[in-house]
């Protein structure tokens, strides 16, 4: 990760607290394919990236905790005796949420100081929140010798998001951020939490992210609504999760569902199939087949699961019309954030320029383009 950012965070910590911190890198993630399948106990295909959160943590001498969000230049002090969700608390809820979830499990920590900063643009759909939660839980685990496994840590991070932030997210982001491997993507079974790792060997193709720089309102409510629909259909089908549903089963209850609910459940069934197919395509080095799956996934996200937006659709349409792009789709929870594109290496510059110009013209705003490397999950670092 960014060495300049690491130095900045460590310096801020030392200036403020006059002690030497433990330093953590906790990455964000991309997802090749498989959206909203994680909370259906299905399949996803994420990878940790070389952008994320840098955290510096150490025990406090005072009887309370102090946390500094370096990028925002905001400071928050809190007592360990009064942990609860904070209304409009934003980043604060990720930190106190982790502490609260530890306490819920009977795990007590002592006062600590924490400074963090990141190089993931907020709202880009690259999971800065999971990276932050993981950095806190990993840091506390080290600092107080809690002996939590990585699996326990990501469950705590996820629950912090459910109970303090109010998003009933799946496990993909926390898993990818914690278990990421350098140069590899993780095809994760969200039921068993077992992943098969794949090198991303696309030879002539490059992964390019395009950020719409929009994040539409009510994203959290829309997200929870999608989860409710999935749970409703699963219940009707008498299965615990849509992971266990087939198209034939779904068709047998079609008359009890609205067209909208039917399409959403169908999307989940098909998206799970696509993730598994994507793994096979990579094994067979069938790059074009892999790319086609991405376009199909976007179609499903746009028309069936309805988690896209006009800016994302525009970027994917442009990608589809460009012969040098073999696959593209919206990435993450939806309603804004980034698209992921697989672009012929020699055409990357031309495509970047072309799409930036067209996006500016269509929406009177800029898109941002990122190239990322696949990286190691949350870890301590010698700064
Ligand atoms: C968000 C959630 C994840 C996952 C994705 C959509 O990133 O945090 O758990 O559901 O959306 O795939």
């Amino acid at each position: 990760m960014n060495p300049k950012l690491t130095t900045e965070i460590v310096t801020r910590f030392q200036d403020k607290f006059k002690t030497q911190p433990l330093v953590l890198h906790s990455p964000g993630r991309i997802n090749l394919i498989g959206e909203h399948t994680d909370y259906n106990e299905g399949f996803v295909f994420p990878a940790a990236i070389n952008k994320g959160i840098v955290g510096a943590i150490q025990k406090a001498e005072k009887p309370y905790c102090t946390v500094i969000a370096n990028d925002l230049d905001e400071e928050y002090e809190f007592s360990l005796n009064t942990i609860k969700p904070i209304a409009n608390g934003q980043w604060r809820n990720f930190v106190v949420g982790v502490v609260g979830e530890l306490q819920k499990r009977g795990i007590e920590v002592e006062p600590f100081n924490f400074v963090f900063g990141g190089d993931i643009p907020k709202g880009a759909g690259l999971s800065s929140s999971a990276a932050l939660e993981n950095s806190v839980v990993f840091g506390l685990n080290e600092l107080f010798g809690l002996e939590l496994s990585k699996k326990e840590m990501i469950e705590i991070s996820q629950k912090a998001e459910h109970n303090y932030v109010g998003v009933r997210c799946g496990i993909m982001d926390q898993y990818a951020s914690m278990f990421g491997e350098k140069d590899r993507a993780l095809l994760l079974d969200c039921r068993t939490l077992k992943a098969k790792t794949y090198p991303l060997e696309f030879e002539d193709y490059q992964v390019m992210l395009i950020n719409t720089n929009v994040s539409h309102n009510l994203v959290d409510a829309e997200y929870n609504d999608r989860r409710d629909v999935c749970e409703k259909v699963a219940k009707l089908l008498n299965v615990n999760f849509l992971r266990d549903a087939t198209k034939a089963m779904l068709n047998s209850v079609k008359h009890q569902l609205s067209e909208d609910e039917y399409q959403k459940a169908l999307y989940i069934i098909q998206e799970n199939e696509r993730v598994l197919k994507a793994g096979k395509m990579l094994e067979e080095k069938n790059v074009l087949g892999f790319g086609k799956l991405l376009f199909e996934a976007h179609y499903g996200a746009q028309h069936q699961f309805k988690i896209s937006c006009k800016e994302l659709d525009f970027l994917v349409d442009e990608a589809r019309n460009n012969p040098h792009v073999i696959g593209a789709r919206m990435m993450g929870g939806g309603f804004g954030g980034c698209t992921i594109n697989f672009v012929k290496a020699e055409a990357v510059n031309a495509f970047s320029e072309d799409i930036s110009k067209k996006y500016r013209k269509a929406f009177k705003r800029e898109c941002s383009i990122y190239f990322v490397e696949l990286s190691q999950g949350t870890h301590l670092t010698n700064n």
Side-chain angles (χ1 to χ4, degrees):
M1 266 182 62
N2 191 334
K4 218 174 119 229
L5 176 64
T6 307
T7 312
E8 191 182 322
I9 297 300
V10 173
T11 308
R12 177 109 194 225
F13 189 97
Q14 289 166 337
D15 289 351
K16 170 84 184 174
F17 302 110
K18 316 286 178 224
T19 48
Q20 196 58 32
L22 296 178
V23 184
L24 304 129
H25 282 175
S26 191
R29 62 108 189 88
I30 56 171
N31 185 23
L32 303 182
I33 191 164
E35 298 307 353
H36 288 253
T37 41
D38 59 353
Y39 55 78
N40 287 295
E41 288 206 348
F43 301 95
V44 291
F45 210 159
I49 56 173
N50 59 336
K51 284 180 183 292
I53 295 286
V54 174
I57 193 164
Q58 193 46 272
K59 292 179 185 169
E61 280 167 9
K62 308 226 167 91
Y64 53 85
C65 301
T66 304
V67 183
I68 296 177
N70 189 54
D71 305 336
L72 302 168
D73 201 18
E74 289 177 0
E75 189 171 318
Y76 180 59
E77 290 175 352
F78 63 94
S79 158
L80 290 168
N81 304 323
T82 53
I83 299 287
K84 58 174 187 316
I86 306 157
N88 302 316
Q90 293 148 344
W91 59 269
R92 293 163 189 80
N93 276 322
F94 297 112
V95 181
V96 297
V98 165
V99 177
E101 288 301 323
L102 284 168
Q103 290 178 340
K104 205 187 261 177
R105 287 165 172 73
I107 302 167
E108 292 300 332
V109 293
E110 289 157 37
F112 62 91
N113 298 319
F114 182 59
V115 178
F116 73 92
D119 57 1
I120 307 182
K122 206 177 153 277
L126 299 175
S127 295
S128 53
S129 44
L132 175 57
E133 291 148 7
N134 279 354
S135 71
V136 176
V137 71
F138 198 99
L140 293 175
N141 188 50
E142 288 293 325
L143 204 56
F144 298 107
L146 305 179
E147 296 187 355
L148 295 166
S149 66
K150 284 187 173 180
K151 188 167 166 277
E152 287 168 316
M153 287 195 265
I154 63 171
E155 281 164 3
I156 288 164
S157 290
Q158 184 194 24
K159 285 288 177 232
E161 189 123 350
H162 286 194
N163 299 329
Y164 285 75
V165 185
V167 181
R168 294 172 64 221
C169 65
I171 198 71
M172 167 168 75
D173 303 349
Q174 291 79 6
Y175 184 96
S177 171
M178 183 68 77
F179 287 89
E181 290 183 23
K182 190 166 164 37
D183 296 329
R184 297 184 89 88
L186 321 165
L187 200 167
L188 174 67
D189 180 337
C190 296
R191 170 162 289 168
T192 60
L193 283 190
K194 293 219 161 62
K196 185 165 176 206
T197 72
Y198 290 75
L200 262 201
E201 285 167 340
F202 281 115
E203 288 175 4
D204 303 340
Y205 293 90
Q206 221 171 313
V207 180
M208 178 173 148
L209 306 178
I210 312 178
N211 191 355
T212 56
N213 287 320
V214 297
S215 168
H216 289 287
N217 283 341
L218 299 176
V219 176
D220 294 356
E222 292 282 358
Y223 185 94
N224 289 341
D225 166 78
R226 296 305 179 279
R227 188 163 179 160
D228 288 345
V229 172
C230 293
E231 285 172 1
K232 178 183 166 186
V233 181
K235 202 161 164 212
L236 193 65
L237 288 172
N238 239 332
V239 293
N240 287 332
F241 294 94
L242 284 184
R243 148 77 174 264
D244 301 307
T246 61
K247 194 173 168 196
M249 287 161 76
L250 183 64
N251 283 341
S252 72
V253 297
K254 193 170 182 199
H255 59 287
Q256 289 169 268
L257 296 169
S258 68
E259 180 61 19
D260 190 68
E261 290 165 338
Y262 173 79
Q263 287 299 336
K264 283 182 174 138
L266 181 61
Y267 160 84
I268 295 295
I269 294 169
Q270 293 171 335
E271 184 79 346
N272 274 327
E273 288 167 3
R274 280 191 285 266
V275 178
L276 295 177
K277 253 195 223 162
K280 284 217 181 71
M281 299 267 180
L282 288 192
E283 275 159 29
E284 292 162 5
K285 304 218 183 304
N286 182 351
V287 188
L288 295 180
F290 175 84
K292 203 162 153 267
L293 286 172
L294 265 64
F295 283 128
E296 287 171 18
H298 186 79
Y299 180 92
Q302 179 180 357
H303 298 289
Q304 296 174 274
F305 211 60
K306 297 190 180 147
I307 47 172
S308 190
C309 62
K310 60 182 189 305
E311 293 86 353
L312 288 166
D313 295 339
F314 178 88
L315 292 176
V316 174
D317 286 343
E318 286 301 325
R320 203 183 281 111
N321 291 335
N322 187 313
H324 302 296
V325 186
I326 53 157
R329 61 173 200 86
M330 56 141 283
M331 193 179 73
F335 310 103
C338 291
T339 61
I340 180 167
N341 304 261
F342 288 83
V343 188
K344 194 115 202 170
E346 69 210 28
V348 155
N349 287 340
F351 178 57
S352 303
E353 275 174 33
D354 184 54
I355 203 149
S356 301
K357 218 190 289 161
K358 287 182 173 149
Y359 189 79
R360 189 179 306 127
K361 186 152 179 258
F363 298 106
K364 312 272 174 294
R365 65 161 74 228
E366 300 293 322
C367 62
S368 309
I369 291 174
Y370 316 123
F371 298 97
V372 290
E373 287 165 27
L374 307 193
S375 81
Q376 186 191 350
T378 310
H379 61 280
L380 280 182
T381 174
N382 307 322
N383 53 88

